[in-house]
Amino acid sequence: MKDLTFETLIAVFEEIFGSGLFWAMVAAAAAVTLGYLYVLVRDRAVSWKKFLFAQLSMPVGAVLAVWFVMVMTKSRLSDLGGPVDIILFIGIAVLGAIGMAIMVYTLESLLGSKRTKGAAET
């Protein structure tokens, strides 16, 4: 692997997660992103109540993302070898947290809840 290209990254991710699961995750991420953009365009503003609830879900997303990658790669925390591994795990946790927040905000906006439906925004 002399050069790091986009195709190389896709091949590595397909090897780690399997082709079907990887492309299912890509499709799910695209669906959540499109849903989020739809909600932002539809509402024309960010609901701070929904945003706060989404932020509260971020630690759950970080832990789930790290756990998922560790299960898929069959590794443990004791396998961490150096600073690059720590940086990679932090990156995975950050991406998981952001993804969870976007998903929670989108789902709450699309499905609503008693807390956010019909309540006037302040």
Side-chain angles (χ1 to χ4, degrees):
M1 192 166 75
K2 188 174 182 181
D3 296 321
L4 183 61
T5 63
F6 188 68
E7 291 82 14
T8 304
L9 282 176
I10 289 176
V12 168
F13 287 134
E14 282 183 344
E15 183 68 25
I16 292 172
F17 298 113
S19 183
L21 179 61
F22 171 71
W23 288 110
M25 290 189 315
V26 169
V32 169
T33 302
L34 289 175
Y36 182 67
L37 292 175
Y38 167 75
V39 165
L40 287 180
V41 170
R42 182 192 69 185
D43 296 345
R44 296 185 180 149
V46 174
S47 168
W48 296 111
K49 287 181 182 177
K50 295 173 191 169
F51 187 67
L52 175 63
F53 187 67
Q55 284 182 325
L56 293 175
S57 70
M58 290 177 89
V60 175
V63 170
L64 287 176
V66 169
W67 173 79
F68 179 72
V69 169
M70 291 180 75
V71 167
M72 294 307 294
T73 58
K74 298 181 178 89
S75 61
R76 297 175 297 192
L77 287 177
S78 62
D79 296 333
L80 295 177
V84 172
D85 292 339
I86 302 294
I87 292 170
L88 181 64
F89 263 52
I90 291 172
I92 291 167
V94 168
L95 289 176
I98 292 170
M100 178 66 98
I102 290 173
M103 186 179 74
V104 167
Y105 185 92
T106 302
L107 287 176
E108 186 159 355
S109 294
L110 291 176
L111 303 176
S113 67
K114 288 182 180 179
R115 185 176 54 83
T116 57
K117 263 190 170 174
E121 295 290 325
T122 57

